Amino acid sequence: MGTFGTAKSRRVAIITGASSGFGSEFARLFASDGVDVVLVARRTALLKKLANELRKKYDINVYVYSYDLSKTDNINKLYKAIMRKKLRVYYLVNNAGFGEYGLFDTLLEEKVVSMVSVNVAALTLLTHLFLPQMRRRKCGYILNVASTAAFVSGPFMAEYFATKAYVVSFSEALHQEYASYGVAVTALCPGPSKTGFADNSGIDKLDIFKGNLPLAIDVAKFGYSAMLQNKPIVIFGKKNKNAAILSRLLPRSFVRNQTLKLMQPRK
């Protein structure tokens, strides 16, 4: 158990997609600051392993929920479970998400639906559910993990890029909307990183995922700090920042063609 008050009085952070990558690193950052964590993901074994690590190392309360967030019922179950425990949610990290590489019409229908459900609908609903207590308390932080993909269209990953554009637009709007209520909303936009995303989405052989990529912990620290500083949109890495700026200044046709070259499957 934690050392800084009872479970009901302690600050709590919810982290989705917490089993690996950015999610597990966010969990470690919150835990190191003495914040209790709610870990949410589908992979139960990895969640339990991380939970044991955090309890032993940081002496905090850790709550594990193995849920598939593509199902709305599971999101509501998660919310009700947290409310029953009367946890004080001060932080929400919407990190869960996935992509799929290939011609859009060749993707499985269930993948197409699930991607929008997880990347967009789950993020939106969780934010909607936990914002009220933050607003009433006049204190809260929401970190939505987007991507540099948000700033361009992405041939061969059209749906994924579009979902991340939604995350940036949604987050930026809420940042303004809730500023007067003491609630900080931040969109974190990483570029290619060492997280397992490339392997899971089938783009590990593309050149953009070759070379010395940033570590998940470095990106997580950057996003964690930006959230606490109440920054609206942050892009990790100078190269990624420059690319995002150029994508808005250059003709869209040029940007589309350049992105196509980066995303084109090897022959």
Side-chain angles (χ1 to χ4, degrees), residues 136-177:
R136 288 193 299 269
R137 196 187 297 126
K138 292 190 178 298
C139 184
Y141 298 85
I142 298 173
L143 179 63
N144 293 326
V145 178
S147 168
T148 52
F151 304 108
V152 295
S153 60
F156 301 104
M157 290 190 78
E159 184 183 11
Y160 174 77
F161 277 54
T163 62
K164 293 306 180 180
Y166 171 90
V167 173
V168 168
S169 178
F170 177 68
S171 303
E172 187 175 23
L174 293 189
H175 176 88
Q176 293 299 114
E177 189 174 340

Side-chain angles (χ1 to χ4, degrees), residues 71-97:
K71 313 297 183 185
T72 302
D73 286 349
N74 286 340
I75 297 172
N76 288 320
K77 287 178 184 177
L78 173 65
Y79 174 72
K80 290 176 181 178
I82 290 172
M83 290 300 99
R84 281 196 298 271
K85 290 183 180 295
K86 297 182 179 180
L87 302 181
R88 301 171 71 215
V89 178
Y90 275 79
Y91 310 91
L92 171 62
V93 179
N94 286 306
N95 171 69

Side-chain angles (χ1 to χ4, degrees), residues 213-235:
L213 299 178
L215 299 176
I217 183 58
D218 293 328
V219 177
K221 284 180 178 179
F222 175 78
Y224 188 74
S225 175
M227 174 193 70
L228 296 178
Q229 294 177 60
N230 191 20
K231 294 183 178 180
I233 302 171
V234 291
I235 303 170

Side-chain angles (χ1 to χ4, degrees), residues 80-216:
K80 290 176 181 178
I82 290 172
M83 290 300 99
R84 281 196 298 271
K85 290 183 180 295
K86 297 182 179 180
L87 302 181
R88 301 171 71 215
V89 178
Y90 275 79
Y91 310 91
L92 171 62
V93 179
N94 286 306
N95 171 69
F98 71 94
E100 190 78 3
Y101 183 76
L103 286 171
F104 180 68
D105 73 291
T106 67
L107 303 183
L108 294 175
E109 181 179 330
E110 63 181 57
K111 287 274 188 171
V112 170
V113 174
S114 291
M115 198 185 306
V116 172
S117 297
V118 176
N119 295 12
V120 174
L123 176 147
T124 305
L125 181 54
L126 285 169
T127 300
H128 187 263
L129 289 171
F130 289 102
L131 254 174
Q133 61 174 279
M134 296 181 182
R135 176 170 55 81
R136 288 193 299 269
R137 196 187 297 126
K138 292 190 178 298
C139 184
Y141 298 85
I142 298 173
L143 179 63
N144 293 326
V145 178
S147 168
T148 52
F151 304 108
V152 295
S153 60
F156 301 104
M157 290 190 78
E159 184 183 11
Y160 174 77
F161 277 54
T163 62
K164 293 306 180 180
Y166 171 90
V167 173
V168 168
S169 178
F170 177 68
S171 303
E172 187 175 23
L174 293 189
H175 176 88
Q176 293 299 114
E177 189 174 340
Y178 285 87
S180 62
Y181 293 100
V183 179
V185 182
T186 300
L188 168 63
C189 300
S193 308
K194 291 183 179 179
T195 62
F197 172 83
D199 294 331
N200 294 333
S201 58
I203 58 174
D204 53 302
K205 292 181 174 60
L206 295 184
D207 288 339
I208 57 174
F209 277 90
K210 300 296 183 182
N212 189 25
L213 299 178
L215 299 176

